[in-house]
Amino acid sequence: MNIEILTVGALNTNCYLVSKDNKCLIIDPGAEENNIIKTIEDLGLEPLAILLTHDHFDHNTYAKSLSELYDIEIFDYKNLFEDTHHIGPFNFEVIYTPGHSSSSITFYFKNYDIMFVGDFIFKDNIGRVDLPTGNYQEMIESINKIKKYDDDIVLYPGHGDCTTLGHEKNHNYYFQ
């Protein structure tokens, strides 16, 4: 599985193209639609679906137009339940992780020890909880839920650098 990271928009949102066998999932297409399309074309990928970690504009602005362009479905907290899902060659688990937003979910690709966490966790920090539908108590409950997973899982956040769950358990104040 390959992961292409596109940092897009004024808020430097991480949009991910997760690919395998020339098929891809688009995660959080929040800005720079033409850049996303060009990268997909340059890599010769066939999009199968769009996954949204939460419903903030910097993560979902171009989901609808890309969905229409490629005739693919958008998956988010409204139509994904907490379970294992299969799209083409991809298998992933959905974990509800509210706190930053009531719509926050994490996509866990267990076979690759990878989680796409949106604005739930950042390297050495967490997402804001003071925005509409944010909730500090829910954030702490989500952190306690995610702490049960293996330390070597790589976290791909909505902004900034990747980290590991083990690093966050040892260095992130909110994990203590």
Side-chain angles (χ1 to χ4, degrees):
M1 190 167 84
N2 296 311
I3 301 169
E4 186 76 23
I5 304 171
L6 304 174
T7 303
V8 298
L11 298 179
N12 294 319
T13 302
N14 291 331
C15 170
Y16 298 101
L17 301 177
V18 179
S19 63
K20 183 176 181 183
D21 303 329
N22 293 325
K23 311 285 188 198
C24 80
L25 302 173
I26 304 168
I27 301 178
D28 289 353
E32 299 181 30
E33 179 182 38
N34 290 336
N35 183 21
I36 296 168
I37 293 167
K38 183 178 183 326
T39 304
I40 289 168
E41 290 174 0
D42 288 350
L43 295 173
L45 300 176
E46 176 190 346
L48 298 181
I50 295 169
L51 306 181
L52 299 177
T53 60
H54 62 296
D55 66 359
H56 289 163
F57 77 93
D58 57 319
H59 294 262
N60 70 5
T61 296
Y62 288 102
K64 186 171 191 271
S65 61
L66 289 169
S67 167
E68 291 169 356
L69 175 68
Y70 293 113
D71 192 26
I72 56 176
E73 195 168 348
I74 299 168
F75 294 99
D76 63 8
Y77 75 105
K78 291 180 237 149
N79 60 2
L80 285 178
F81 47 92
E82 257 190 332
D83 200 353
T84 300
H85 298 269
H86 311 279
I87 300 174
F90 304 100
N91 299 314
F92 58 90
E93 182 182 332
V94 169
I95 306 164
Y96 291 140
T97 50
H100 172 67
S101 164
S102 61
S103 63
S104 293
I105 58 177
T106 291
F107 298 102
Y108 176 33
F109 290 76
K110 185 176 185 174
N111 293 345
Y112 299 95
D113 289 328
I114 291 170
M115 287 183 176
F116 294 92
V117 295
D119 292 359
F120 166 37
I121 301 170
F122 299 122
K123 186 173 184 181
D124 301 325
N125 209 341
I126 58 171
R128 292 175 59 179
V129 295
D130 61 334
L131 300 171
T133 77
N135 182 294
Y136 183 76
Q137 186 56 45
E138 287 180 346
M139 177 64 82
I140 296 305
E141 290 168 10
S142 293
I143 289 169
N144 287 334
K145 180 192 286 189
I146 219 77
K147 280 168 48 171
K148 296 173 185 167
Y149 289 84
D150 294 337
D151 288 358
D152 59 348
I153 293 172
V154 178
L155 306 180
Y156 286 84
H159 305 269
D161 296 332
C162 298
T163 184
T164 64
L165 197 49
H167 176 87
E168 297 313 306
K169 288 176 185 178
N170 291 318
H171 297 95
N172 190 325
Y173 167 82
Y174 298 97
F175 277 72
Q176 306 312 311

